[in-house]
Amino acid sequence: MTFDGHAREGRTKSGALPRREFLRHASMVAVATAAAGTVPGMWHAFARGSPDVPRLDVDGAVAHLARTAEGLVAAGEQSHAPSVWTYRLGERAWTKTADGAAFPSGTTLNAVAELRGSLYAAGSITQVVDTYPVVDGKKTLEVEVHETTPAVFSSSDGAGWQQVVRGIPGSPFGFLSAITSARGGLLAVGSEFLEPDVGEPSGLTAIRSRDGRRWDRMPLEGVVPPRHGEVSLVARDRGDYLLGTNGVDGAELYLLTGSASRWEPLPRPDREGRVTFTAAGPVAGGFLLAGVDQQARAHFWRGGRHGWRRVGSPKGMSSDATVLDFQRVGRDLVATGYSGTGGFATEVEG
Amino acid sequence: MCGSASCCIAESRLVAFSRINGVPLKYRFSSGWGFVTVRSKPGFQRKLNNWMGTLSLYSKTYGGKNFNSITWIGTAGAFTRKRGCHGRGRALDLNYIRWNNYTLNIFRGAHGASKRGRRRRYLAVDACCRQYFKFTLDGWYNAAHTNHIHIDNHTVPILNRGSRSDTVFVQSVCNNFNGAGLAIDGDWGPGTQSAFAAINRKWGFRTAECNPFRNKAHYREWLALVMKHGFKNAAAGYYKSSC
């Protein structure tokens, strides 16, 4: 869609733009024109005004967001099927661009990232690889053996997806829980299982790619694998990366800065150590970190390498929501996750 | 299998409990062991209660006066917000069992204890877990489980040659009750098959009639043999199978 297209779609039936929309588009036109019509210029334009990203509600969970040149892409599940939604800047609604039909059966999408105009969604594929009968008293049960393998899919438009990672050498079983663009390429992290059907992770796994096609294993130097655990979040603030792990013993945070190859442990913001960190996003002065305690209460902190400061729930967030991702859009943040009523992507005040 | 971002949504359907079939639960805090409340799905909690009943009965019956009653058990956690069975409230990590006059300190690596008797008691507890929970991941499974036994009710409890979890357990049973001398590598090869056949001859488990790989009752009987010998601290053959 062209920039003019956005403006046209923003008009009312009578052809007139509401005052707020008019001012916003006027601002966009000015800045985008100044930026010679480049795509970053469009984001720059939105940064000066409020983009008013519409709310997305689904029957399921919106796991993760990626910012693209044209807007936002969200990945998650709806009605137990993998799903992708896109939002183009200036439009009034999200569009569902892919559902279960776009992915192999048993696909779960946990995260999405953008690299040089292409989208990459990370997760897993669970398939039945064997069945056998088991006598249980007078009944005979048909027992299924499931195999879960890490997977990455790529897409140019959010609608058609091709699998580019099918299992990881040395870690055939497991899942990828996060993917992010990093240092000119992509970094995906997840957990591995030792055998089919056992769903308790035995360790962490990470792969990287410069072009989205060839992927290599990489060590997560400095990260202590959590017991039965997983990577619960990877967030980026310019050159800093925040990684959260969550296991039965508790959760930990790590920071990778500059050109360093080793993740450094960060002090936890909660003294009790009973909070699971679920999401983080860039805000002024570091990260906004979201967590949930054992009583399902949400907690938020701001900070990073210089420590954490407890803050209240971002405005616009329902009290029973579990945040799974934050993405900065202009001055605001878009949060994704799920609550008692289903999954959501919604603008909050960061 | 839960690999989904929304797998933790059903939290409201969890039940909180601080005892399993009357036996208190403790957690190892930095200051020491203290009473704890955990959460799980109601169905998993019922299984835990049944498991505790069986553990109490077998340890008291075959272990003697030191095993008359279970005073408390230690856990490293049950429900936690993550993918997998812990995230669905269908798993628990077990790391300590205190009877009236005997302690099995799984946290300190009882599976690798220098005393064979302690290893046999560990295997008896391990076997009891396997009667109810597949998967049971023990100290031989991988380094992450040297200080606890993970139990979940992901699927039907049955013996599977293709499972590393089951194979390391069978290899350990053959070594500790029948001196098989197997490498515990999780690979069910000819050596393991031969050792499995030998221990079955020893304790009279007739594989021509009883199939622990396809029949739940037969597998329970095989595990009961491990429990009896384990709590008694006896070599294979002290008790004979009814199967």
Side-chain angles (χ1 to χ4, degrees):
Chain A
M1 181 177 289
T2 64
F3 184 75
D4 284 338
H6 288 297
R8 275 199 301 274
E9 291 219 337
R11 289 192 174 97
T12 60
K13 279 184 181 173
S14 66
L17 282 168
R19 177 177 165 75
R20 188 178 181 197
E21 292 264 311
F22 173 81
L23 291 172
R24 184 156 61 88
H25 282 102
S27 160
M28 286 163 53
V29 168
V31 181
T33 304
T38 60
V39 165
M42 286 173 62
W43 270 109
H44 185 51
F46 274 95
R48 286 167 176 252
S50 172
D52 288 336
V53 175
R55 184 179 168 90
L56 169 67
D57 287 297
V58 303
D59 166 24
V62 184
H64 199 247
L65 278 176
R67 208 174 86 163
T68 68
E70 294 179 314
L72 293 166
V73 174
E77 68 171 39
Q78 184 168 29
S79 305
H80 305 292
S83 301
V84 176
W85 304 267
T86 57
Y87 164 67
R88 291 171 184 263
L89 293 173
E91 289 188 353
R92 293 181 171 183
W94 289 78
T95 303
K96 187 171 181 177
T97 52
D99 58 15
F103 300 95
S105 174
T107 296
T108 296
L109 301 181
N110 293 323
V112 63
E114 188 265 352
L115 179 70
R116 291 189 279 277
S118 292
L119 299 171
Y120 296 89
S124 63
I125 300 175
T126 298
Q127 292 175 314
V128 177
V129 292
D130 192 16
T131 61
Y132 56 87
V134 169
V135 176
D136 183 10
K138 292 179 179 174
K139 295 179 294 185
T140 298
L141 311 172
E142 202 63 31
V143 177
E144 295 181 340
V145 178
H146 299 84
E147 197 173 274
T148 298
T149 52
V152 177
F153 305 88
S154 75
S155 174
S156 58
D157 57 4
W161 292 84
Q162 296 80 41
Q163 192 169 354
V164 292
V165 171
R166 187 188 302 269
I168 297 170
S171 298
F173 313 120
F175 60 88
L176 293 168
S177 49
I179 187 169
T180 185
S181 54
R183 296 177 177 175
L186 292 161
L187 166 68
V189 295
S191 298
E192 58 187 10
F193 306 140
L194 275 183
E195 60 181 289
D197 247 351
V198 171
E200 298 311 313
S202 59
L204 301 183
T205 186
I207 52 174
R208 66 183 162 192
S209 175
R210 291 227 163 268
D211 56 12
R213 293 192 297 273
R214 290 180 300 278
W215 293 78
D216 302 306
R217 279 192 77 133
M218 66 171 292
L220 286 172
E221 285 180 44
V223 178
V224 179
R227 189 157 54 80
H228 294 320
E230 63 184 20
V231 172
S232 59
L233 68 91
V234 175
R236 176 183 175 192
D237 176 25
R238 292 180 289 273
D240 288 357
Y241 297 88
L242 181 69
L243 183 146
T245 63
N246 179 34
V248 175
D249 289 329
E252 302 293 340
L253 293 169
Y254 299 87
L255 190 69
L256 185 70
T257 55
S259 58
S261 60
R262 186 175 182 81
W263 295 83
E264 298 296 334
L266 278 184
R268 294 176 54 97
D270 63 318
R271 285 184 199 161
E272 307 80 18
R274 305 295 283 173
V275 169
T276 298
F277 305 114
T278 58
V283 292
F287 293 96
L288 175 64
L289 176 67
V292 183
D293 67 17
Q294 294 285 312
Q295 283 72 46
R297 292 177 302 221
H299 300 266
F300 297 89
W301 298 267
R302 272 174 180 264
R305 67 172 82 181
H306 301 301
W308 298 97
R309 176 170 57 89
R310 185 180 286 276
V311 296
S313 175
K315 283 183 184 171
M317 184 75 68
S318 66
S319 59
D320 68 336
T322 296
V323 183
L324 296 175
D325 191 28
F326 284 121
Q327 191 62 243
R328 174 155 285 289
V329 179
R331 281 195 299 266
D332 291 331
L333 288 174
V334 175
T336 68
Y338 61 84
S339 65
T341 54
F344 64 83
T346 187
E347 202 173 275
V348 296
E349 209 167 275
Chain B
M1 176 176 301
C2 175
S4 149
S6 60
C7 64
C8 303
I9 285 177
E11 229 176 294
S12 58
R13 292 196 284 270
L14 300 176
V15 290
F17 54 95
S18 55
R19 289 171 180 266
I20 297 176
N21 206 352
V23 176
L25 281 168
K26 288 190 178 184
Y27 182 84
R28 192 172 180 276
F29 297 99
S30 53
S31 55
W33 292 98
F35 292 106
V36 71
T37 297
V38 299
R39 290 187 292 168
S40 79
K41 285 272 181 68
F44 184 75
Q45 189 204 13
R46 281 194 295 275
K47 274 202 170 183
L48 285 172
N49 287 334
N50 293 338
W51 162 75
M52 181 58 76
T54 302
L55 185 66
S56 299
L57 177 67
Y58 273 77
S59 57
K60 182 168 59 179
T61 306
Y62 297 95
K65 63 179 190 306
N66 292 341
F67 294 84
N68 268 339
S69 62
I70 299 176
T71 313
W72 58 273
I73 68 166
T75 179
F79 168 78
T80 189
R81 285 172 168 270
K82 56 182 282 299
R83 295 169 184 82
C85 285
H86 280 287
R88 287 179 289 160
R90 293 172 59 171
L92 181 134
D93 286 348
L94 174 71
N95 60 8
Y96 201 98
I97 304 181
R98 175 70 194 162
W99 281 270
N100 56 302
N101 201 24
Y102 190 86
T103 296
L104 191 68
N105 192 339
I106 299 165
F107 186 78
R108 296 239 182 261
H111 74 289
S114 56
K115 291 182 178 174
R116 186 177 58 189
R118 194 164 294 278
R119 297 198 302 273
R120 284 176 171 173
R121 267 64 182 254
Y122 180 99
L123 283 164
V125 171
D126 197 335
C128 189
C129 293
R130 287 168 196 274
Q131 282 202 339
Y132 294 90
F133 304 108
K134 191 167 182 92
F135 283 86
T136 295
L137 309 179
D138 61 20
W140 291 283
Y141 184 68
N142 67 349
H145 292 86
T146 53
N147 65 1
H148 72 284
I149 296 175
H150 164 93
I151 52 178
D152 69 55
N153 68 341
H154 171 64
T155 186
V156 179
I158 197 75
L159 188 57
N160 184 347
R161 288 186 186 88
S163 162
R164 174 179 173 80
S165 160
D166 289 354
T167 304
V168 294
F169 170 70
V170 168
Q171 289 171 334
S172 304
V173 167
C174 292
N175 283 356
N176 284 288
F177 293 99
N178 205 29
L182 294 169
I184 300 177
D185 58 5
D187 181 16
W188 195 300
T192 301
Q193 181 58 37
S194 171
F196 183 65
I199 199 171
N200 286 335
R201 281 194 298 275
K202 205 60 131 343
W203 56 29
F205 186 87
R206 293 161 300 176
T207 49
E209 288 94 42
C210 297
N211 186 351
F213 301 98
R214 291 291 182 268
N215 188 305
K216 269 180 77 175
H218 297 166
Y219 184 42
R220 285 181 72 88
E221 164 63 16
W222 195 87
L223 293 168
L225 285 167
V226 180
M227 291 162 63
K228 291 174 184 176
H229 287 83
F231 285 122
K232 185 69 180 176
N233 186 16
Y238 189 90
Y239 297 105
K240 292 294 182 184
S241 171
S242 59
C243 194

